[in-house]
Amino acid sequence: MDTDIFESHESEVMSYARSFPVVFDQAKGSYLYDETGAEYIDFLAGAGTLNYGHNNPILKEKLLEYIQRDGIVHGLDMHTTAKREFMDAFYEVILKPRDMDHVMQFTGPTGTNAVEAALKIARNIKGRHNIIAFTNGFHGVSLGALAATGNSHHRGVAGVTLSGVNRMPYDGYLGDAFDTTEYLDKVLGDSSSGVDFPAAVIVETVQGEGGINAASFDWLRNLEKVCRKHDMLLILDDIQAGCGRTGSFFSFDDVGINPDIITLSKSLSGYGLPFAMVLLKPELDQWKPGEHNGTFRGHNLAFVTAAAALNHYWRDDNFAKEVQKKADIITERFRDIARSYDDHWFYLNGRGMMQGLVCRDGELAEEITKACFKRKLVIETSGADDQVIKTLCPLTISEEDLDRAMDILKDSVSEVMTDRVKRSEAHSVG
Ligand SMILES: *Cc1c(COP(=O)(O)O)cnc(C)c1O
């Protein structure tokens, strides 16, 4: 596989390519194929962008049909048939059954674009600059969103002061016994706490890049209460945890909260096409025409595949049930691994099909994911020290393939752990 041009001419900024240094050529469902035809199971799946698998045939058929009939590809934000069909589907399938009357704002096509829009409108509506974000939160790397992102690796290259955000401890950050929303409530009620009165809180229900930390439903409900009490907007960043990843379309569906602003991207198009959207409660839709624009707001090819995904997967709860079943398999298999090592080296976190096998350190996680890749399983880590091995496989994966991947993971863990024991024995003898 010829990688010369990447080495000579691609920016050093590349990241995933370093973990998986082959040249991928084709993909189908839960599988990636490199140029030599070798087959890999994909547990990274575009970092949660391919919830319905690679080149999903149902979505592909609609897309090809649309391209074939010269359907509008780029239409700025003009009305198009494709947009209407997406909006109709999103309203009928997602919003209406939930009694949600949010309006849809199409932003530039990446997650960080949606976050920028959400923060901007929240600040303008409330007339306050400050936003509350959480430890280990990830919201993107453009400057506004980056200010809300916790990771110092990303923050460190901002080049300017990242301002307008105060950091608060996420659920569990100070141990299970402590509800960190009480701390937030306390500082907001204290005129001398040093925290400027915020416009909004931005939060993930499960922190994807931050280590697959899942907030408890109680914590999320308490967070909403604090928002209401202190007149702050609740922005729910569902870019990674949404679109079915946790077992329901929105990750907060079963929580019993009603976020003011919701950001969606990653798996929204369903096909890996760039697409992002902000949902705003109608009274918050205070934009003036063109005030926040962008050339690629709502891409028509993405509208086509997104509508197809909604119509096919979300009109009843069969798909959600299937996701839940596979989530249980993942939990069981992870628990099995953790137990085999006396729950000393590993523990589990996450929710639905967004689960993590948390390793004692980042080095261990890296050794394991490398061993997985040798066995042709593409799987990544996340978290502050990259200590969490995360499952983000397509939700459409077959149980057979899921088992296969879990077998590979188990074997890889076993290889690495055996190696560790040998090394520590050699060390103690030496
Ligand atoms: C990936 C992600 C973003 C940023 O999306 P990009 O498309 O990479 O800009 C924002 N928030 C969350 C929760 C994400 O997972």
Side-chain angles (χ1 to χ4, degrees):
M1 286 178 270
D2 180 1
T3 56
D4 289 355
I5 190 73
F6 308 121
E7 276 142 37
S8 62
H9 279 77
E10 186 172 1
S11 162
E12 289 298 326
V13 80
M14 65 183 152
S15 60
Y16 293 111
R18 296 172 195 274
S19 308
F20 312 110
V22 296
V23 182
F24 292 108
D25 183 40
Q26 289 179 299
K28 186 92 198 133
S30 304
Y31 286 95
L32 284 161
Y33 300 89
D34 72 21
E35 279 181 331
T36 69
E39 179 182 270
Y40 303 77
I41 306 183
D42 190 3
F43 260 53
L44 178 56
T49 303
L50 296 156
N51 282 3
Y52 312 102
H54 289 272
N55 295 311
N56 181 299
I58 296 144
L59 279 52
K60 183 166 75 177
E61 190 191 325
K62 297 281 184 201
L63 183 61
L64 290 177
E65 219 175 80
Y66 188 81
I67 292 173
Q68 197 60 45
R69 74 169 182 83
D70 287 330
I72 293 274
V73 173
H74 189 269
L76 293 169
D77 68 0
M78 291 187 281
H79 295 332
T80 64
T81 314
K83 187 198 275 192
R84 185 175 59 210
E85 284 174 5
F86 167 76
M87 290 183 72
D88 275 341
F90 198 83
Y91 177 68
E92 286 296 328
V93 179
I94 305 298
L95 296 180
K96 202 166 136 195
R98 291 168 175 77
D99 264 331
M100 290 170 67
D101 57 359
H102 292 65
V103 301
M104 301 172 224
Q105 178 187 358
F106 302 108
T107 64
T110 67
T112 203
N113 288 132
V115 170
E116 293 291 342
L119 298 177
K120 192 191 274 189
I121 194 72
R123 285 177 168 130
N124 276 283
I125 287 170
K126 292 296 180 191
R128 305 172 203 143
H129 71 275
N130 199 23
I131 301 280
I132 300 292
F134 292 95
T135 49
N136 296 115
F138 182 86
H139 302 287
V141 297
S142 57
L143 290 178
L146 184 58
T149 290
N151 188 310
S152 59
H153 177 64
H154 294 121
R155 293 175 66 85
V157 289
V160 295
T161 312
L162 293 171
S163 57
V165 173
N166 268 134
R167 188 97 19 210
M168 287 289 154
Y170 191 68
D171 189 21
Y173 196 70
L174 300 170
D176 288 342
F178 194 86
D179 180 346
T180 61
T181 63
E182 285 176 25
Y183 174 67
L184 177 60
D185 183 35
K186 173 93 183 178
V187 298
L188 295 177
D190 178 354
S191 60
S192 178
S193 67
V195 175
D196 294 334
F197 199 47
V201 163
I202 183 164
V203 69
E204 297 157 271
T205 60
V206 185
Q207 296 184 317
E209 300 307 301
I212 320 293
N213 312 306
S216 73
F217 289 9
D218 275 340
W219 186 84
L220 291 165
R221 284 189 286 261
N222 290 341
L223 180 64
E224 185 185 51
K225 277 186 208 138
V226 173
C227 287
R228 302 299 168 233
K229 180 174 165 190
H230 296 281
D231 182 36
M232 305 180 293
L233 297 174
L234 176 59
I235 304 172
L236 203 135
D237 183 349
D238 226 11
I239 288 172
Q240 189 162 155
C243 301
R245 180 51 58 185
T246 62
S248 51
F249 185 81
F250 291 119
S251 68
F252 56 87
D253 272 338
D254 303 319
V255 179
I257 55 171
N258 185 7
D260 301 295
I261 303 176
I262 300 151
T263 53
L264 291 172
S265 182
K266 289 206 166 81
S267 271
L268 182 60
S269 80
Y271 203 72
L273 295 167
F275 186 30
M277 177 165 76
V278 178
L279 298 172
L280 299 163
K281 282 189 180 166
E283 66 274 18
L284 302 179
D285 184 25
Q286 295 179 21
W287 295 110
K288 295 190 179 60
E291 215 171 30
H292 186 84
N293 63 13
T295 309
F296 291 100
R297 281 171 300 143
H299 201 265
N300 283 274
L301 299 184
F303 284 136
V304 171
T305 53
L310 293 172
N311 286 324
H312 187 79
Y313 292 102
W314 297 104
R315 282 198 178 266
D316 56 41
D317 60 3
N318 292 334
F319 184 61
K321 282 185 185 144
E322 203 186 290
V323 172
Q324 197 47 59
K325 187 163 172 225
K326 288 177 227 175
D328 291 343
I329 295 175
I330 297 169
T331 308
E332 207 176 290
R333 297 294 305 259
F334 275 11
R335 204 170 273 152
D336 199 38
I337 292 174
R339 273 203 202 117
S340 312
Y341 301 94
D342 299 329
D343 292 314
H344 176 72
W345 291 90
F346 307 98
Y347 68 90
L348 281 56
N349 67 1
R351 182 154 72 80
M353 283 178 76
M354 189 170 183
Q355 294 188 49
L357 184 66
V358 189
C359 306
R360 278 189 81 93
D361 55 68
E363 201 188 319
L364 178 58
E366 192 189 338
E367 284 172 27
I368 294 168
T369 52
K370 279 205 169 123
C372 287
F373 188 59
K374 271 195 276 164
R375 294 173 168 84
K376 306 236 170 350
L377 171 65
V378 170
I379 189 165
E380 256 292 5
T381 56
S382 81
D385 303 313
D386 292 320
Q387 77 282 24
V388 185
I389 299 173
K390 61 177 179 183
T391 46
L392 287 175
C393 60
L395 307 178
T396 51
I397 193 171
S398 68
E399 285 180 32
E400 194 187 342
D401 286 342
L402 184 56
D403 267 333
R404 227 184 111 193
M406 288 295 148
D407 288 343
I408 293 178
L409 181 64
K410 189 178 170 189
D411 292 346
S412 304
V413 168
S414 160
E415 179 197 302
V416 170
M417 291 304 287
T418 309
D419 206 47
R420 278 220 169 189
V421 171
K422 266 191 213 141
R423 265 185 296 167
S424 71
E425 279 169 4
H427 186 76
S428 53
V429 171

